[in-house]
Amino acid sequence: MEKDTCKLPPHDAATWTLSAIVCIGVVASYVPQIVRIVSARSSVGLSPWFLFLGTTSSWCATFNVLVLQWPLLACTLKHVSWMHVEYWMGLLQTGLQQLMFTILFACFLYYYRLEKVPHRRRSRRRHSTRPVRKDTDTSLLHPPEQDGNDSSGSESDLESYHSHIHQSYGAVSNSDHGHAADTLATHARSHDDYMNIPAHMRHILERHLLPSEEAIHGKVGSVHEFQLSRQLAWVATILVLIIVILSVVMLGSHARRAQVLPWAAFLGVLGGLLAMCQYLPQILHTARARLVRSMSILTMCIQVPGAFVFIYTLHGREGINWSSLLPYVVAALLQGILLVLCVAWKLRQRQEGLDDYGRYIGTAALHAS
């Protein structure tokens, strides 16, 4: 009876080779996205719900495969051999997917940038936390000092400076902060007049009256979104712990196959439902921004066709059924839609001379890159 239970399927060199390539491809596909976040030092543009759903979905898929293939994997543990690595390739594929997505979520939290608005005190001098360029005249970085008993003078000087910039360069015609921010965003993206202002004057304007250039150009996120992402990270951690504990207890108790299969089916269905919803928040997030931002088109170009190879190799594994494949099929289709949307925004950006965060850099610079 034990021999029948531990009977291993025949080796398939072609499937083993293809699975190894898929494992390498899974890791390689996430590298451009992670590098993009680290190099830009900003993860703004990714949806917290997309990362939450993707992380939980991938963990469900991994433990679905583990539970379904456990009888086969347990047999290989009794007689450890390099030849048995082939039988672990299905779990390795899903495990690497889950690991890389979890790392991506961690990078999002670590590199998410928030706008640091300096506290406007009634003091004789305002101190900036931003580094000053060596070629900048530091005497121009602060409004004239006022008597400590009068704070209205500094505001008056700022308004006069604001008016001077508008009259000289035709940019930002209203000192109202909300309107000025909208006007600056318009000028920064259309580059008319605003980009003609000397750098040190733009520095003063942004420091005292307007949000920073990075905030306007989409590299700075909101406090609400960051708080939401932290809450979702904690919820994902709790769900993952529940999945791990229940799966380990069920497999460790040597439950009957009839009792294990419903749990595996539940994980597969749950992973599939999460995958169905996974890319919808990111599609909406990118559609509203009308910019690529921190999304990596190269990652999606690798993952979309690679997903179908991934599904094919997973389909041929012992013990795998439809519940294991469902999350990946749905995710591949929705990711294809997201890829088309990002390519469309990328083409639009090139036509308007914008970079991925909405900053005008000129059509010539874009074509050169």
Side-chain angles (χ1 to χ4, degrees):
M1 190 70 173
E2 185 177 352
K3 291 183 178 179
D4 294 337
T5 304
C6 289
K7 184 177 181 180
L8 300 175
H11 293 283
D12 187 344
T15 303
W16 187 93
T17 303
L18 192 58
S19 297
I21 295 174
V22 168
C23 289
I24 297 173
V26 166
V27 176
S29 67
Y30 282 93
V31 170
Q33 180 64 78
I34 295 175
V35 169
R36 180 173 176 81
I37 292 175
V38 173
S39 60
R41 302 195 64 80
S42 174
S43 58
V44 175
L46 277 71
S47 168
W49 282 104
F50 159 69
L51 297 169
F52 166 75
L53 295 172
T55 300
T56 51
S57 173
S58 61
W59 276 87
C60 287
T62 298
F63 277 84
N64 167 270
V65 173
L66 175 63
V67 171
L68 289 175
Q69 287 198 313
W70 182 246
L72 174 64
L73 300 178
C75 289
T76 62
L77 293 176
K78 295 179 180 180
H79 306 285
V80 179
S81 170
W82 285 107
M83 299 295 293
H84 293 163
V85 175
E86 176 183 348
Y87 305 119
W88 287 80
M89 294 303 290
L91 181 62
L92 188 60
Q93 287 179 216
T94 56
L96 287 174
Q97 177 95 355
Q98 159 253 307
L99 176 63
M100 297 305 294
F101 216 105
T102 304
I103 293 175
L104 180 60
F105 199 175
C107 288
F108 172 83
L109 292 170
Y110 185 80
Y111 286 99
Y112 194 88
R113 302 184 62 178
L114 294 174
E115 172 70 357
K116 296 181 179 179
V117 181
H119 181 61
R120 301 181 63 128
R121 298 187 301 269
R122 293 185 177 184
S123 61
R124 297 178 62 185
R125 183 180 293 271
R126 293 185 179 91
H127 296 282
S128 174
T129 58
R130 301 180 189 174
V132 180
R133 291 175 50 186
K134 295 181 179 180
D135 59 345
T136 302
D137 184 358
T138 56
S139 64
L140 297 175
L141 294 182
H142 300 279
E145 296 184 15
Q146 303 295 325
D147 293 335
N149 299 327
D150 184 12
S151 62
S152 61
S154 60
E155 295 297 329
S156 177
D157 289 334
L158 285 175
E159 291 179 2
S160 300
Y161 193 85
H162 183 280
S163 177
H164 166 70
I165 291 177
H166 171 61
Q167 293 176 6
S168 301
Y169 302 99
V172 193
S173 58
N174 193 316
S175 62
D176 177 72
H177 295 201
H179 177 74
D182 294 338
T183 308
L184 176 58
T186 303
H187 281 287
R189 291 186 177 181
S190 65
H191 82 92
D192 294 337
D193 301 323
Y194 178 74
M195 297 308 295
N196 295 328
I197 301 176
H200 65 275
M201 290 187 176
R202 291 202 304 270
H203 179 87
I204 298 173
L205 190 62
E206 293 172 359
R207 175 173 169 243
H208 293 284
L209 295 173
L210 304 173
S212 67
E213 193 173 343
E214 286 189 342
I216 289 177
H217 293 142
K219 296 185 74 172
V220 177
S222 66
V223 175
H224 170 73
E225 188 174 66
F226 182 65
Q227 291 176 342
L228 174 63
S229 62
R230 294 182 63 181
Q231 293 170 356
L232 292 177
W234 280 110
V235 173
T237 302
I238 295 173
L239 291 177
V240 167
L241 288 175
I242 293 174
I243 292 172
V244 172
I245 292 173
L246 290 179
S247 299
V248 171
V249 169
M250 190 170 295
L251 295 176
S253 62
H254 303 287
R256 295 180 180 179
R257 188 70 173 170
Q259 297 173 334
V260 173
L261 287 178
W263 172 243
F266 170 77
L267 291 177
V269 172
L270 178 61
L273 293 175
L274 293 174
M276 289 178 188
C277 304
Q278 171 184 347
Y279 283 94
L280 293 178
Q282 186 60 57
I283 291 173
L284 293 176
H285 198 82
T286 304
R288 290 171 180 171
R290 299 178 66 85
L291 294 167
V292 176
R293 288 186 174 175
S294 296
M295 292 297 298
S296 172
I297 294 179
L298 179 57
T299 287
M300 289 183 284
C301 287
I302 298 174
Q303 288 184 348
V304 171
F308 295 100
V309 180
F310 186 101
I311 294 168
Y312 173 78
T313 56
L314 191 61
H315 177 267
R317 291 291 163 192
E318 183 74 16
I320 300 299
N321 59 23
W322 63 270
S323 65
S324 304
L325 304 177
L326 183 61
Y328 300 102
V329 173
V330 176
L333 295 176
L334 292 178
Q335 192 176 27
I337 296 175
L338 179 61
L339 174 60
V340 172
L341 181 62
C342 285
V343 170
W345 289 157
K346 189 74 173 181
L347 294 176
R348 169 183 166 272
Q349 291 168 198
R350 294 183 70 89
Q351 291 177 353
E352 298 183 4
L354 306 176
D355 68 358
D356 290 335
Y357 293 94
R359 178 178 54 196
Y360 182 83
I361 57 178
T363 55
L366 283 172
H367 290 306
S369 60

